[in-house]
Amino acid sequence: MFRGFHSCKLRRISYNSAPAFTPSTASPFPPLESLVFKPHEPHQCTKSLQDLVDHCKPTSHCNTTLFSSSEKFESLVNRFQRSCSSEAARELHLQGIKYGFVGNLFLSNTLINIYVRIGYLGSAQKLFDEMSGRNLVTWACLISGYTQNGEPHEACVRFRDMVRAGFIPNHYAFGSALRACQESGPSGCKLGVQIHGLISKTRYGSDVVVCNVLISMYGSCLDSPNDARSVFDGIEIRNSISWNSIISVYSRRGDAISAFELFSSMLKEGLGFSFRPNEYTFGSLITAACSSVDSGFCVLKQILAKVEKSGFLQDLYVGSALVSGFARFGLTDDAKKILGQMGEKNMVSMNGLMVGLVKQKQGEAAAKVFREMKNLVGTNSDSYVILLSAFPEFSALEEGRRKGSEVHAHVIRTELIDSKVAIGNGLVNMYAKSGAIADACSVFGLMVGKDSVSWNSLISGLDQNECFEDASKSFLGMRRTGLMPSNFTLISTLSSCSSLGWIVLGKQIHCDGIKLGLDTDVSVSNALLALYAETGCLTECLKAFSLMPEYDQVSWNSVIGALSDSEASVSLAVMYFLEMMRGGWVLSRVTFINILSAVASLSLHEVGHQIHALVLKYCLSDDTAIGNALLSCYGKCGEMNQCEKIFSRMTETRDEVSWNSMISGYIHNELLNKAMDLVWFMMQTGQRLDSFTFATVLSACASVATLERGMEVHACGIRACLESDVVVGSALVDMYSKCGRIDYASRFFELMPQKNVYSWNSMISGFARHGHGEKALKLFTRMKLDGQPPDHVTFVGVLSACSHVGLVEEGFEHFESMNEVYRLSPRMEHFSCMVDLLGRAGKLDKVDDFINRMPMKPNVLIWRTVLGACSRSNGRNTELGRKAAEMLMELEPQNAVNYVLLANMYASGEKWEGVAKARAAMKEAAVKKEAGCSWVTMKDGVHVFVAGDKSHHEKDSIYEKLRELNRKMREEGYIPQTKYALYDLELENKEELLSHHSEKLAVAFVLTRQSALPIRIMKNLRVCGDCHSAFGYISKIVGRQIILRDSNRFHHFQDGRCSCGDYW
């Protein structure tokens, strides 16, 4: 071992004493790559450490008697102190032994420094362990060596050993240790904070070298700009590195305002110290400008002027940053111009331009830049990753996918695919965004090494390609590998859970996010809001929103949208909208679309006008989506005149939704003729009619049972080549069944090339509505065999079919299968069907027990069904009817139907006192019952009749035909069923009252015209038993089919019989 000089002997120093030496050299710690982006000189740090070693070189007055020749010592020092090769290290070591310099502290430190410089850490550590005496320089060299050679953990261990040995680290040791902590990740950063505490106890607390590294650590590793700023403010004499470091901290966080404020302060403070911005300063400022969406372009232009004035445009680093910045803002021509002015170009310059072009969706241009420049500047793995991201942005996606496959083949042939995981990630991303998700999965499966980005690319790609179940499974696979999910992982997986309705897994991921501390990320929180909103968990959605530490515009839009879609909480949407405005948030087009939807649901005319005014204030009235939302809002509020004004101004911006909104508005306001006129106008002007247009109009035709109009729309659909569309087909089946042509509906259903659940539901409900219960149940069996799973609507049709044909036991079997077989929880409408099933079958004694066993509280639908069943029971079980009536009066005191049903119940049992009380209660509540009416559609228009109607211009011939029919019916054996005359009158008066019911007047009117076609009559109330009986006789007498649609179902009368079998 080398013997030491007195001037460099090991000295243990207490923490209260002065350090072993005062540094006089420049800082050996350049800014970290995370703070400045330009590469450092390869040996900048180690040269400075050598300066530190030289600082402890023995002086002339030192004792040199131990050496055979002081000249030889000087010769060795001068020859080897700057060496950077293993041969030099080996020769110095041998020469030291040969000439008896074993144990010399200075030469030992020099040799350790050479070993560190060439990466021989094992030799450096071995020599360190053999040294009998060490000083601060020894420790600093070793710690710095481990840091420089990518072993930050070992550097931290050596730093701890140094402190335990009683040494107070100098600024070199502190700097290297802090750098090692920064590179060690979260655990190392904790040690870094502890080292900062130790530094604060020494005189290095304001040392510019140490503080610069602390700024870097707090800014990039701990993401704590406040702590970084606190360190910066504590520096007594700042240098340019200090300013560049703190500016970089804010620029990387996207805080452009703070970055430029600091730049301004740097210029002011540097007036006397020549603090001029250098390439690192400009690099950070360009990054900050790119992060500013609103004013970044203008600021970037100003920086360009400053760069040109300062002479840094030729700088490779600054020029590349400017190229990237201008390209990101879509100014690709300016970017190319700067690239042309750069004296030197490299792959970073090319990559920056390509990134900007990709962001501007100019995939072909980005690929062209790569093709033209790759041989001039070379390529790296980043170049290929950016190139792969350009292919999904090709205008022809198939062409982009083909080019991507060619690059895939190239990276396989050159073995680049296995050298860098980023290239594999780029391939997964490229294939996923190009729609080739199977290829993306194949690449992922063949990747040798996968990181979190690999999994994120796969999960995101699966989610974007609607492979939601695979995306969720991939997330679980990632967790099994032990890799920690990032915020991007959670966002994509939560999106898939939302699409699948998998609330259980979504909640588990929510818990995972809380454990990982990712729930505070605003984007993750927004994904959670979307999940809970889509799955109907509104309470959880509002709770998640209330717990968010910070919001963004998407957060407010998500919660307002969720409330707008919830029928029970629409009013809250308006409250949250007002709260958003009070908070000073800028309203976006999404905000307006969501709130207009809420206002439309509530029919808030005045609020709608106020929001329209805000739309004008924000200059968004020309936005097509907002215009469509206004059309929908005003249409639902009944202000079609406003709709027509807005629509007339949308001459250049109308789309299919605009036309459909107008048609829906007319239909909603019962202006079917105007809706149909608009459809004809669309066809005449060549406007494309989509499936939604036809489905909307067909639905309107079905609602008012206008068969002729519906058939006209069908013809239009055929001309528009939409007859085979599954949406239009389902609407046609529904329209024909509701207009009484169940034969047409059935025929069209069988001809449909493709069926979905709506098609099956429409046909099943149609059969049930027409009294063909057996056909409905057979079709349900076919549906299951066809592989189409039933939904809640399916079971409403199935249970209605059982109810209309009296299949009580089979009805209960289907009801119980909902939960047991299909995992569908019965809803209120299903319980109502079951109550109706029992009521029609006369099992009123079981109704009360069934209601008591319901898992939810009965609503008005249930109690009205009970009361209706009691009113048809000839006065039996009036106690249950009274109970149902009491509940209805409490829940819906202003609904006249409830009083009418109660009066009918009493009247069916000839309890006239009860009838009088029910009518008195109705009068006291000031409600009016809907007048019963029937109507028929003839070539000359629609003819409407009410009971005892004398207003029709053909009343004489109508009543003459009615008398003729009554006479013939009596001859056939017809006896008026006076129990359906719900008034306490004489028998003759009751018979006369029954004979003048509106449906009888309607059929008599039709029979005054000459025709052999079926007679189609519509009635707004349930047909009475006497008219039902009379229609059977009439159909036999006149030899024509009579199709009667009442408020519940269709009745097909032919040859004296009804399709319902007198069970309705």
Side-chain angles (χ1 to χ4, degrees):
M1 288 297 294
F2 303 144
R3 299 244 187 252
F5 289 89
H6 288 293
S7 61
C8 293
K9 280 184 179 179
L10 169 65
R11 288 192 296 160
R12 294 179 183 269
I13 305 170
S14 66
Y15 286 127
N16 294 325
S17 62
F21 65 92
T22 303
S24 59
T25 59
S27 167
F29 303 108
L32 286 179
E33 287 78 7
S34 61
L35 291 177
V36 294
F37 318 108
K38 188 175 181 179
H40 305 305
E41 295 178 18
H43 305 301
Q44 180 181 355
C45 189
T46 52
K47 284 181 180 178
S48 297
L49 277 172
Q50 185 60 52
D51 292 337
L52 174 62
V53 175
D54 293 343
H55 183 71
C56 292
K57 183 178 177 181
T59 56
S60 58
H61 68 273
C62 292
N63 181 12
T64 58
T65 57
L66 294 175
F67 301 111
S68 61
S69 172
S70 61
E71 290 81 6
K72 192 62 180 176
F73 179 81
E74 289 292 338
S75 174
L76 287 175
V77 169
N78 293 333
R79 181 181 171 188
F80 292 105
Q81 64 180 353
R82 305 291 176 185
S83 298
C84 295
S85 68
S86 58
E87 292 80 5
R90 186 167 58 253
E91 187 174 351
L92 175 60
H93 207 156
L94 291 172
Q95 291 288 335
I97 296 171
K98 178 179 178 180
Y99 291 104
F101 298 144
V102 176
N104 182 278
L105 185 58
F106 175 75
L107 285 185
S108 295
N109 289 344
T110 300
L111 188 54
I112 288 175
N113 202 28
I114 296 173
Y115 281 134
V116 162
R117 199 178 299 151
I118 63 176
Y120 281 29
L121 294 178
S123 300
Q125 183 65 52
K126 184 178 180 183
L127 179 57
F128 177 86
D129 293 338
E130 291 174 353
M131 291 174 65
S132 58
R134 307 178 187 107
N135 65 2
L136 286 171
V137 177
T138 317
W139 286 99
C141 287
L142 190 65
I143 295 167
S144 177
Y146 278 115
T147 302
Q148 292 170 29
N149 286 279
E151 296 191 28
H153 177 70
E154 288 296 324
C156 293
V157 171
R158 297 300 169 268
F159 181 81
R160 288 193 182 97
D161 293 341
M162 178 183 182
V163 175
R164 290 192 191 101
F167 288 95
I168 293 183
N170 57 19
H171 63 301
Y172 293 95
F174 275 131
S176 294
L178 288 170
R179 186 75 56 82
C181 292
Q182 187 174 344
E183 294 172 1
S184 296
S187 59
C189 288
K190 290 180 181 178
L191 176 61
V193 175
Q194 295 172 3
I195 293 174
H196 188 186
L198 179 61
I199 291 170
S200 65
K201 297 178 181 179
T202 70
R203 66 190 186 91
Y204 298 114
S206 59
D207 180 85
V208 66
V209 174
V210 176
C211 288
N212 288 346
V213 185
L214 280 169
I215 291 170
S216 171
M217 182 188 74
Y218 280 118
S220 61
C221 178
L222 292 172
D223 192 27
S224 178
N226 293 334
D227 290 327
R229 184 60 184 267
S230 178
V231 173
F232 174 80
D233 292 339
I235 302 175
E236 293 177 356
I237 302 176
R238 304 181 183 110
N239 60 18
S240 59
I241 296 175
S242 312
W243 286 102
N244 287 339
S245 298
I246 193 65
I247 290 171
S248 179
V249 167
Y250 286 103
S251 70
R252 284 181 172 275
R253 285 180 57 83
D255 189 350
I257 295 174
S258 298
F260 282 97
E261 284 177 350
L262 283 163
F263 175 63
S264 178
S265 300
M266 173 185 176
L267 295 178
K268 291 176 184 176
E269 188 171 317
L271 291 175
F273 297 91
S274 300
F275 284 167
R276 294 179 181 177
N278 58 19
E279 62 268 40
Y280 303 113
T281 319
F282 286 122
S284 295
L285 293 176
I286 292 167
T287 301
C290 291
S291 67
S292 178
V293 178
D294 299 327
S295 57
F297 162 65
C298 297
V299 174
L300 202 58
K301 284 279 190 182
Q302 295 175 38
I303 293 174
L304 175 60
K306 186 75 173 175
V307 167
E308 289 174 334
K309 184 177 179 181
S310 304
F312 281 104
L313 190 59
Q314 298 293 316
D315 183 86
L316 176 62
Y317 164 59
V318 175
S320 299
L322 282 168
V323 167
S324 178
F326 276 96
R328 285 170 186 268
F329 280 104
L331 304 170
T332 51
D333 291 337
D334 291 329
K336 291 175 182 176
K337 183 179 177 181
I338 294 169
L339 187 66
Q341 293 175 336
M342 289 173 61
E344 182 185 357
K345 307 176 185 69
N346 67 0
M347 58 190 72
V348 177
S349 320
M350 177 186 72
N351 293 348
L353 181 56
M354 288 172 62
V355 167
L357 289 167
V358 171
K359 283 185 174 291
Q360 294 301 314
K361 312 291 184 185
Q362 298 181 37
E364 290 91 341
K368 184 180 178 183
V369 169
F370 178 86
R371 189 169 57 251
E372 292 175 349
M373 294 186 66
K374 64 177 182 177
N375 294 328
L376 297 175
V377 299
T379 59
N380 58 12
S381 59
D382 290 339
S383 308
Y384 284 100
V385 172
I386 298 166
L387 177 63
L388 288 167
S389 70
F391 296 130
E393 305 302 338
F394 272 42
S395 54
L397 193 58
E398 189 61 37
E399 174 68 11
R401 188 186 307 155
R402 187 178 66 79
K403 293 287 186 183
S405 299
E406 292 174 4
V407 174
H408 188 180
H410 174 75
V411 296
I412 291 174
R413 189 171 61 252
T414 56
E415 298 183 354
L416 279 170
I417 192 168
D418 295 327
S419 63
K420 292 286 185 180
V421 69
I423 292 179
N425 296 342
L427 283 166
V428 172
N429 190 51
M430 182 273 294
Y431 281 122
K433 288 186 176 179
S434 300
I437 190 62
D439 293 334
C441 294
S442 178
V443 171
F444 179 83
L446 293 171
M447 286 177 68
V448 177
K450 303 179 182 76
D451 58 13
S452 58
V453 177
S454 315
W455 286 96
N456 287 346
S457 300
L458 178 68
I459 294 169
S460 174
L462 289 166
D463 178 60
Q464 291 167 8
N465 284 273
E466 299 184 359
C467 301
F468 306 122
E469 193 167 340
D470 290 332
S472 302
K473 289 178 180 178
S474 296
F475 171 78
L476 299 175
M478 178 185 182
R479 295 298 279 130
R480 283 193 289 270
T481 64
L483 283 172
M484 288 294 113
S486 67
N487 53 344
F488 300 107
T489 323
L490 297 190
I491 290 167
S492 296
T493 314
L494 287 168
S495 172
S496 292
C497 291
S498 176
S499 300
L500 291 166
W502 286 5
I503 185 61
V504 175
L505 179 59
K507 287 183 176 181
Q508 291 172 356
I509 294 171
H510 189 175
C511 295
D512 223 13
I514 293 172
K515 291 176 184 176
L516 296 169
L518 294 173
D519 61 312
T520 56
D521 181 272
V522 67
S523 297
V524 173
S525 296
N526 290 341
L528 285 167
L529 294 179
L531 166 74
Y532 289 127
E534 288 292 325
T535 53
C537 301
L538 195 59
T539 304
E540 287 83 354
C541 179
L542 295 176
K543 186 174 182 181
F545 181 79
S546 67
L547 294 173
M548 287 175 67
E550 59 180 88
Y551 310 120
D552 63 6
Q553 194 180 63
V554 176
S555 315
W556 284 101
N557 288 343
S558 297
V559 75
I560 292 171
L563 292 166
S564 299
D565 293 337
S566 172
E567 191 175 329
S569 306
V570 180
S571 57
L572 280 176
V574 180
M575 292 173 60
Y576 274 79
F577 173 75
L578 295 174
E579 193 64 32
M580 180 181 181
M581 289 188 65
R582 292 189 193 103
W585 289 92
V586 176
L587 309 180
S588 69
R589 61 195 298 273
V590 178
T591 320
F592 283 114
I593 291 168
N594 287 338
I595 193 60
L596 283 168
S597 171
V599 171
S601 300
L602 296 167
S603 297
L604 299 174
H605 302 251
E606 291 300 322
V607 178
H609 285 289
Q610 292 172 20
I611 292 172
H612 192 176
L614 280 172
V615 168
L616 297 172
K617 181 180 177 182
Y618 276 79
C619 301
L620 290 172
S621 56
D622 292 333
D623 185 281
T624 302
I626 291 180
N628 294 339
L630 284 167
L631 289 176
S632 177
C633 178
Y634 281 125
K636 289 181 180 178
C637 290
E639 299 188 42
M640 286 309 298
N641 57 332
Q642 286 288 347
C643 287
E644 289 168 350
K645 289 178 184 177
I646 295 169
F647 187 73
S648 64
R649 289 196 293 266
M650 294 175 68
T651 51
E652 301 297 325
T653 59
R654 290 175 192 160
D655 60 7
E656 294 168 2
V657 179
S658 314
W659 291 93
N660 291 338
S661 297
M662 283 299 295
I663 293 168
S664 298
Y666 283 132
I667 291 170
H668 178 77
N669 290 281
E670 299 181 1
L671 301 169
L672 183 60
N673 289 335
K674 283 197 170 186
M676 298 300 292
D677 290 343
L678 194 57
V679 172
W680 308 147
F681 179 74
M682 288 176 71
M683 297 184 67
Q684 290 166 6
T685 55
Q687 178 67 36
R688 179 179 177 273
L689 280 77
D690 62 6
S691 57
F692 182 83
T693 311
F694 283 105
T696 303
V697 179
L698 287 168
S699 176
C701 294
S703 65
V704 293
T706 55
L707 178 64
E708 291 75 15
R709 287 286 201 181
M711 295 180 77
E712 290 173 5
V713 177
H714 187 178
C716 293
I718 293 172
R719 288 200 294 273
C721 301
L722 285 170
E723 188 183 24
S724 60
D725 183 273
V726 68
V727 175
V728 175
S730 302
L732 281 167
V733 171
D734 185 58
M735 183 275 294
Y736 279 123
S737 69
K738 288 181 178 177
C739 289
R741 293 310 302 258
I742 192 65
D743 51 338
Y744 285 7
S746 179
R747 191 184 313 160
F748 190 82
F749 175 81
E750 296 299 338
L751 292 173
M752 286 179 69
Q754 182 185 359
K755 302 178 181 70
N756 62 12
V757 67
Y758 303 107
S759 317
W760 291 98
N761 290 349
S762 297
M763 198 66 244
I764 291 170
S765 298
F767 278 136
R769 195 179 295 112
H770 284 266
H772 303 311
E774 292 81 2
K775 288 184 178 181
L777 296 173
K778 284 180 182 178
L779 190 63
F780 176 58
T781 303
R782 257 184 69 191
M783 175 185 182
K784 292 184 289 184
L785 292 173
D786 202 51
Q788 176 64 58
D791 62 7
H792 285 91
V793 179
T794 313
F795 278 101
V796 171
V798 169
L799 296 176
S800 296
C802 293
S803 176
H804 286 305
V805 293
L807 298 174
V808 178
E809 291 184 5
E810 188 170 348
F812 270 95
E813 287 175 8
H814 289 302
F815 179 76
E816 289 165 1
S817 72
M818 285 185 67
N819 194 27
E820 295 174 359
V821 179
Y822 303 103
R823 296 292 182 266
L824 296 171
S825 299
R827 296 174 179 170
M828 195 66 75
E829 55 266 33
H830 302 104
F831 286 100
S832 175
C833 287
M834 296 308 294
V835 171
D836 188 58
L837 172 65
L838 292 170
R840 288 181 189 277
K843 300 181 181 293
L844 293 176
D845 53 326
K846 294 183 178 180
V847 168
D848 196 26
D849 182 57
F850 180 81
I851 291 174
N852 292 333
R853 288 188 286 107
M854 282 176 57
M856 74 263 303
K857 188 177 180 181
N859 65 357
V860 290
L861 181 62
I862 299 292
W863 292 120
R864 191 173 296 125
T865 305
V866 172
L867 187 54
C870 292
S871 67
R872 297 190 297 270
S873 64
N874 296 327
R876 293 184 295 109
N877 208 334
T878 55
E879 188 61 37
L880 178 61
R882 277 196 297 270
K883 177 183 176 182
E886 288 172 4
M887 298 303 299
L888 286 169
M889 303 309 172
E890 182 181 330
L891 295 170
E892 262 189 352
Q894 296 300 310
N895 193 329
V897 174
N898 303 328
Y899 298 94
V900 173
L901 287 174
L902 179 61
N904 290 351
M905 181 190 73
Y906 285 124
S908 66
E910 297 187 351
K911 298 179 180 179
W912 305 114
E913 186 179 343
V915 173
K917 287 182 180 179
R919 289 174 177 163
M922 182 176 177
K923 186 176 181 181
E924 185 180 345
V927 293
K928 290 182 67 176
K929 65 166 282 191
E930 180 183 11
C933 65
S934 302
W935 65 94
V936 292
T937 304
M938 309 293 284
K939 288 183 180 179
D940 57 349
V942 178
H943 298 262
V944 183
F945 300 91
V946 296
D949 199 343
K950 298 288 180 70
S951 62
H952 199 278
H953 62 280
E954 296 183 36
K955 62 179 183 298
D956 294 335
S957 58
I958 291 171
Y959 278 95
E960 179 61 35
K961 175 60 72 172
L962 193 57
R963 284 191 288 272
E964 178 188 336
L965 288 173
N966 276 329
R967 177 175 55 77
K968 290 182 177 180
M969 285 192 296
R970 287 180 182 274
E971 290 175 358
E972 290 290 329
Y974 164 71
I975 299 174
Q977 300 184 33
T978 55
K979 65 180 180 181
Y980 293 107
L982 304 177
Y983 291 90
D984 187 13
L985 302 171
E986 295 296 328
L987 183 62
E988 295 79 6
N989 294 336
K990 285 185 177 183
E991 290 181 2
E992 183 181 1
L993 190 66
L994 289 171
S995 67
H996 294 166
H997 275 188
S998 62
E999 51 265 57
K1000 289 179 180 176
L1001 293 174
V1003 76
F1005 167 70
V1006 175
L1007 291 172
T1008 61
R1009 311 279 180 98
Q1010 293 297 318
S1011 175
L1013 294 174
I1015 300 169
R1016 301 180 186 280
I1017 300 173
M1018 307 296 162
K1019 184 175 174 64
N1020 65 336
L1021 302 177
R1022 183 176 184 271
V1023 64
C1024 78
D1026 178 71
C1027 291
H1028 186 273
S1029 173
F1031 274 34
Y1033 284 101
I1034 294 171
S1035 67
K1036 184 178 180 181
I1037 292 166
V1038 300
R1040 291 171 68 179
Q1041 184 183 14
I1042 301 174
I1043 301 167
L1044 171 66
R1045 188 187 104 166
D1046 67 7
S1047 59
N1048 292 335
R1049 59 181 294 170
F1050 280 90
H1051 298 269
H1052 296 256
F1053 299 94
Q1054 192 155 13
D1055 295 328
R1057 294 182 180 180
C1058 179
S1059 58
C1060 71
D1062 294 334
Y1063 186 90
W1064 87 101

